[in-house]
Amino acid sequence: MTSRLRPLFVGVDRYVLRACGLRGIPAVVVYGPYWRDSGLPDLPDCVTAVFVEDECSAEAVLTALTRAGLGEERFASVTTTNEYALINVAVLAQALGCPGIPPAVALRFRDKFLQKEAVRAAGIPTARAVLLEDIHDDELPRLPFEAGVIKPVTGAATRQTATVRSTEELHQTVRRFRSEAGSARTFVVEEFQQGDEWMVDGVVHEGKIRFMSVAEYTHTCLSVVESQATMQDRRFDPAAEAWAFRLAEPVVRAALEALDLTDGIFHMELFHHEGEVFFSECAARRGGFVQEQVECKFGVDLGDAALSLALGEEPDVTVRERPGIVGGTYITTSPGLLFGVPSQDEVMSLPNVEYVLLGHLVGASLPANSDTTKRIGEVVITTETLEEFHKRSEEVLAWFADRITVIPAGVKRRDLHGMQSALGYDTRLTASYRREDG
């Protein structure tokens, strides 16, 4: 009897690793400097961890596996939930001779211009797009649309993304991006799409959608970044709001066929405007802040489904639906030095809160809200009605605002002196001296 082949995971996905532990499935995970520095989650005994310098480099992964004595191992598959490692995983699957996403498919899921071209060619409604091969070129094109959105062609999390409404504004934005450290160089400009922004998270196996959840953002991802709004979303109820699933499903199914994703977890963005649904973009991975909401609303564990797919098995996506509203909100604050946050137990004691993640340690330097990943935490909230959900979300945000202490970046000494009392310290920055006089 031969032993089961182990799946190879590139990057840490705590939900997939949790599923490995619960099911006793041996696996190998390679992880990069981010996880080395911030700390790996507790790994099950059945999981072998290997450090690599770069999860997105085939050279780094292959050499690290060989040093660990795993260079000749045959794997059940190689997969990732790291957006930036997707093409590397496709290359590794071919090099290791194991199942994985084909390189041509991975390209369509990483390159937003190629993705739009494939979807549009299939007759699916989506925004027109033009490519800016290098924003450092002297000659820049005119804006071909009344309004557009510029973004890196292989970007994520709405980073370096902006609305432009004229050729002059397009050129100004390009010049701003040129000056930013670590800026991408190849961008795409898409026609601005009106409407509400939806997201669809699901599981596809053997070319068929096995599970699908549709949700709506309170604010579009772009408006979250441009207006510093709070990222909030909530899941549509398949019974009470079946109309949303009827509108979304044909577009989702056709887009996955056009992009040729036959097995995997997907996270798709759509726009809904006046009863029509338009494709925006799609990732071949689980979306951020999705696992808990889907598990809470539908009883479906996307991490466990990803493990089954990595093993070549049919995933268990049996729905055990929870009535009412399930949604979430990010907890954000001003940039600066994080000085104090409430405990997780305090947050979980709040009414209607089902889940909390506080993602920054006290003492962390908080950046400005430059993309949709910037937050100090996130909570899942459940209510009976949508009105209650919005009310409780605002109450939770207000509760956090009273209990988060941030020392603003670049604060002057005189201002810091004035803050000492509020921070719980003596405002007299002086020394005391006890002396015995003979």
Side-chain angles (χ1 to χ4, degrees):
M1 180 177 178
T2 59
S3 60
R4 166 184 269 174
L5 299 181
R6 297 191 290 181
L8 172 63
F9 300 116
V10 176
V12 174
D13 185 321
R14 62 180 182 273
Y15 306 109
V16 175
L17 297 178
R18 179 185 67 180
C20 287
L22 291 173
R23 293 167 56 179
I25 302 295
V28 176
V29 57
V30 295
Y31 68 97
Y34 170 83
W35 289 103
R36 188 64 166 260
D37 296 340
S38 60
L40 285 171
D42 291 336
L43 297 178
D45 293 338
C46 57
V47 172
T48 300
V50 177
F51 173 73
V52 297
E53 285 194 303
D54 185 357
E55 294 175 10
C56 301
S57 164
E59 175 184 321
V61 173
L62 291 174
T63 54
L65 288 174
T66 302
R67 288 194 300 269
L70 303 173
E72 300 299 321
E73 179 163 348
R74 293 181 58 230
F75 293 101
S77 65
V78 55
T79 58
T80 188
T81 51
N82 178 349
E83 173 72 24
Y84 300 101
L86 187 64
I87 291 179
N88 183 37
V89 159
V91 172
L92 286 170
Q94 289 198 338
L96 296 170
C98 64
I101 188 169
V105 177
L107 289 172
R108 288 193 286 272
F109 278 92
R110 284 293 294 129
D111 189 297
K112 298 179 190 299
F113 182 75
L114 295 177
Q115 185 174 97
K116 280 284 199 303
E117 291 287 290
V119 168
R120 189 181 301 105
I124 302 165
T126 190
R128 294 176 293 169
V130 295
L131 187 71
L132 298 184
E133 188 174 76
D134 187 353
I135 62 170
H136 287 267
D137 286 346
D138 293 332
E139 293 293 329
L140 292 173
R142 295 184 59 81
L143 179 66
F145 320 118
E146 185 175 340
V149 176
I150 181 173
K151 62 180 73 170
V153 74
T154 57
T158 322
R159 189 173 296 116
Q160 280 198 305
T161 302
T163 305
V164 289
R165 301 188 181 279
S166 66
T167 296
E168 181 181 0
E169 189 174 7
L170 171 63
H171 293 180
Q172 289 174 347
T173 303
V174 165
R175 286 192 288 271
R176 173 165 61 87
F177 287 163
R178 285 173 179 171
S179 67
E180 293 179 357
S183 173
R185 293 187 62 144
T186 302
F187 281 71
V188 63
V189 181
E190 300 175 356
E191 188 173 18
F192 183 83
Q193 177 64 60
Q194 297 283 352
D196 304 321
E197 190 168 11
W198 290 2
M199 63 172 145
V200 182
D201 299 283
V203 179
V204 60
H205 177 53
E206 294 181 342
K208 295 182 180 179
I209 299 174
R210 307 293 177 162
F211 167 77
M212 189 178 84
S213 165
V214 186
E216 67 172 351
Y217 292 106
T218 301
H219 309 282
T220 66
C221 294
L222 185 55
S223 67
V224 165
V225 174
E226 292 187 329
S227 66
Q228 300 293 287
T230 300
M231 175 72 80
Q232 292 180 343
D233 60 79
R234 63 96 181 185
R235 302 282 138 181
F236 283 116
D237 187 275
E241 297 167 308
W243 61 271
F245 288 78
R246 286 196 300 269
L247 286 176
E249 193 275 336
V251 176
V252 174
R253 178 169 34 80
L256 292 175
E257 290 176 359
L259 298 172
D260 202 20
L261 183 67
T262 58
D263 291 273
I265 311 296
F266 66 89
H267 175 73
M268 190 178 296
E269 309 280 352
L270 305 172
F271 281 101
H272 168 248
H273 184 60
E274 297 181 346
E276 291 187 81
V277 170
F278 301 83
F279 175 87
S280 177
E281 55 189 57
C282 187
R285 55 166 172 78
R286 189 188 62 251
F289 197 21
V290 165
Q291 171 80 22
E292 291 80 13
Q293 290 186 32
V294 168
E295 200 165 350
C296 183
K297 177 64 180 175
F298 298 98
V300 172
D301 184 340
L302 294 178
D304 184 80
L307 175 58
S308 292
L309 292 170
L311 295 170
E313 301 172 353
E314 183 171 352
D316 178 8
V317 288
T318 304
V319 172
R320 297 173 294 279
E321 187 183 334
R322 175 177 184 155
I325 303 297
V326 174
T329 182
Y330 279 0
I331 308 300
T332 59
T333 188
S334 57
L337 185 68
L338 183 62
F339 191 82
V341 291
S343 70
Q344 292 194 4
D345 288 342
E346 289 178 289
V347 183
M348 289 301 295
S349 69
L350 297 176
N352 305 101
V353 171
E354 295 285 337
Y355 166 86
V356 58
L357 171 66
L358 298 176
H360 283 279
L361 300 174
V362 169
S365 180
L366 304 177
N369 187 20
S370 58
D371 61 55
T372 56
T373 67
K374 297 298 184 288
R375 77 276 193 192
I376 65 167
E378 53 198 45
V379 295
V380 172
I381 296 171
T382 60
T383 59
E384 292 186 5
T385 68
L386 184 57
E387 182 181 6
E388 289 176 318
F389 170 75
H390 289 305
K391 180 174 182 293
R392 286 298 299 131
S393 296
E394 294 307 312
E395 290 172 348
V396 168
L397 290 173
W399 183 90
F400 266 98
D402 289 338
R403 290 163 177 80
I404 297 173
T405 304
V406 174
I407 301 175
V411 64
K412 292 182 172 58
R413 181 178 175 84
R414 68 171 62 184
D415 296 323
L416 189 60
H417 182 85
M419 293 172 61
Q420 295 302 295
S421 179
L423 293 173
Y425 290 89
D426 193 328
T427 59
R428 296 170 300 163
L429 301 180
T430 58
S432 296
Y433 177 45
R434 184 184 299 278
R435 185 178 64 180
E436 295 290 339
D437 290 327

